[in-house]
Structure formats: C-alpha cells, structure tokens
Amino acid sequence: MDFPRALRDRRTRRHLSQLDLALRAGTTQRHLSFIESGRSVPGRNMVVRLAESLELPLRERNELLMAAGYAPAYPESSLDDPVLAPVRTAIDHILRGHLPYPALVVDQRGDLIAANTAFDVITEGAAPELVGPGTNVYRLALHPDGLAPRIDNLAEWARHILARLDHLVELRAELTTYVPELEPSAGLLGFAVPLRLRSSYGELRLMTTVTTFATAVDVTLAELKLEAFLPADPATADALAAAAGAAAAGQAPGHM
C-alpha cells in the first residue's frame, strides 16, 4: 500500500482539509502536505496520531501503520483466546438479559457470533444453511430462502440493510440481486423503520438498536456489534413473551 495515497484517500473520504487534519493531529499543514506528497516520512507516533485523528477503525489504523512500514499497534485476538474470556461472559450476560426479546452478536461482515433463544422466532422457516453461528445475518435477512418472504415491508427493510454494507462490496452486490424493485410504501414511516415480520405468533413489529464496545483496543472486539430487537407495539411484546413461554415449555412454534 502506498502510504501517502492511503492517508490522502482516508482524509478526503472524511471530507477533511489538510488544515483540519493537521490541527486535529497537532502538526502543521505544511508538514502534513509533505507527508501526503511523500517528501517527508512520518514517525510511528505521527502515523498513530493521524489515524486516531481520522477516527479510523482499528483494522484500518493497523493497515495505515503497515503501509508506513511499521508493525500494527492493535492486536487481533480470536474470540476463543483466554484474554477475551470476560468479553464472552459479557456477551452471554447481555444476550440472556435481553430475553424475551431477540438479540444477536455479529462481526464486521455480519457473520453470526452468538444469539439468544428468542432469535429463533425471527429465523423460523428459514433454510438451515442460512441459520446458525458463522452464517451471515444480512444474507439471512434478504435471501429468498431466508426472511424475505415473511417481511411485509421488504423495500424499506432492504434499503436499511444495504445502506450498512458499503464497506462490503461483494456481499452488497450479491444481496442486491435478491431484492426486487419495490417502491417504499407512501406516507409517514414514523420515528424509525420497523421490521414487520410475519411469524407463527402473528405479525411482529420490531425496532433495532446496535451496540459496540466503546473502549476496545483489540480489532476483534472493536468489530463486534450487538443488535437487539425491541417491540414497536404492545402486540409484538405479547407475541414475543408468548414465544418465550412456549420455548421454555418445549412447545412447537405457534402452539398456544
């Protein structure tokens, strides 16, 4: 990777002038200009300061350091590594604590790391190869053998999903082929776009929230996202409670 070009590309993507970035990084516009033109070779600390000032994800900060000829600054641990044992415990606690509402954890590609038992009501009827750890939740959402046939507002929801995938060019291209040319419904959408999903417990209207580990300095941890589903109306809350009760009693979905 050409470091001057890599730095310049990241700066322009964030719509920052050389002066803006120089002020953030505690240097001068002249020095930054020399770095971006290749006339000056930055030290390791300067590269770290520039990456932090650009608010780059940890993976990109490592890439920028390597482009400049330095070793990565941020580790990338496996989730099975003992050092991340507290993280696994925290994830399990959060997933259980969100019951009876569905919640899941994904990595930077949207591959499923873990989910709570309430997520089963979301995935019911989906093809087995699209469900489970290691599968991609965005593919599950839009694939014709996944959730798509049960989503009543597929046009709005598909746009919501695809808008999150600009950094995953190949996956976005694949998923776009699954989405028909549907027009979003007319009228007011409300304060948020809900997922309107048909289930054996009736229509579910779900809002989503996304949580990250804010102070992470490990690449793996920084890229984890916890997506939690919340009922958008009382009927959905009742349906999810009924689904949780049936699951606890070992009943089949929809058996009341």
Side-chain angles (χ1 to χ4, degrees):
M1 189 186 298
D2 177 351
F3 174 76
R5 184 174 63 183
L7 176 61
R8 187 168 55 252
D9 288 349
R10 284 159 174 77
R11 175 179 62 77
T12 55
R13 275 208 314 264
R14 284 158 177 77
H15 305 290
L16 292 173
S17 67
Q18 285 186 342
L19 179 59
D20 291 333
L21 179 55
L23 291 173
R24 289 186 181 191
T27 188
T28 65
Q29 182 179 0
R30 177 183 174 85
H31 187 202
L32 181 57
S33 176
F34 277 26
I35 291 173
E36 288 193 352
S37 67
R39 296 169 63 187
S40 178
V41 178
R44 178 183 174 85
N45 287 342
M46 175 56 69
V47 177
V48 170
R49 279 160 50 196
L50 290 169
E52 289 176 346
S53 299
L54 287 167
E55 298 180 348
L56 297 178
L58 298 190
R59 184 179 296 278
E60 282 197 59
R61 297 185 194 187
N62 278 346
E63 290 173 354
L64 205 60
L65 279 162
M66 289 188 290
Y70 299 110
Y74 305 96
E76 183 175 358
S77 307
S78 165
L79 269 177
D80 296 328
D81 194 309
V83 74
L84 292 187
V87 174
R88 297 194 301 274
T89 300
I91 288 172
D92 290 343
H93 178 75
I94 294 169
L95 292 177
R96 287 197 305 270
H98 196 66
L99 292 170
Y101 307 145
L104 63 153
V105 175
V106 298
D107 65 14
Q108 59 141 359
R109 283 188 46 81
D111 292 342
L112 184 67
I113 301 299
N116 64 13
T117 54
F119 191 56
D120 291 347
V121 76
I122 302 289
T123 63
E124 63 181 28
E129 63 270 19
L130 296 175
V131 180
T135 59
N136 188 273
V137 298
Y138 304 132
R139 184 176 289 112
L140 168 67
L142 301 184
H143 197 283
D145 293 330
L147 307 186
R150 296 168 46 220
I151 299 177
D152 285 336
N153 59 334
L154 182 59
E156 289 92 350
W157 193 252
R159 284 168 173 77
H160 167 72
I161 294 291
L162 294 174
R164 299 164 63 176
L165 302 182
D166 287 343
H167 65 298
L168 300 171
V169 177
E170 291 183 6
L171 179 62
R172 193 181 195 282
E174 175 199 339
L175 300 190
T176 299
T177 66
Y178 300 145
V179 181
E181 290 293 331
L182 300 176
E183 289 296 324
S185 59
L188 183 66
L189 290 175
F191 58 85
V193 177
L195 169 61
R196 293 171 47 205
L197 183 70
R198 295 189 302 276
S199 80
S200 55
Y201 294 90
E203 184 190 60
L204 305 176
R205 295 175 59 88
L206 299 159
M207 303 179 295
T208 63
T209 63
V210 176
T211 304
T212 60
F213 288 86
T215 58
V217 292
D218 183 283
V219 174
T220 300
L221 180 57
E223 292 178 343
L224 293 182
K225 293 181 175 62
L226 185 141
E227 185 152 3
F229 293 83
L230 295 164
D233 56 34
T236 299
D238 291 343
L240 292 174
Q251 297 173 351
H255 182 78
M256 306 297 287

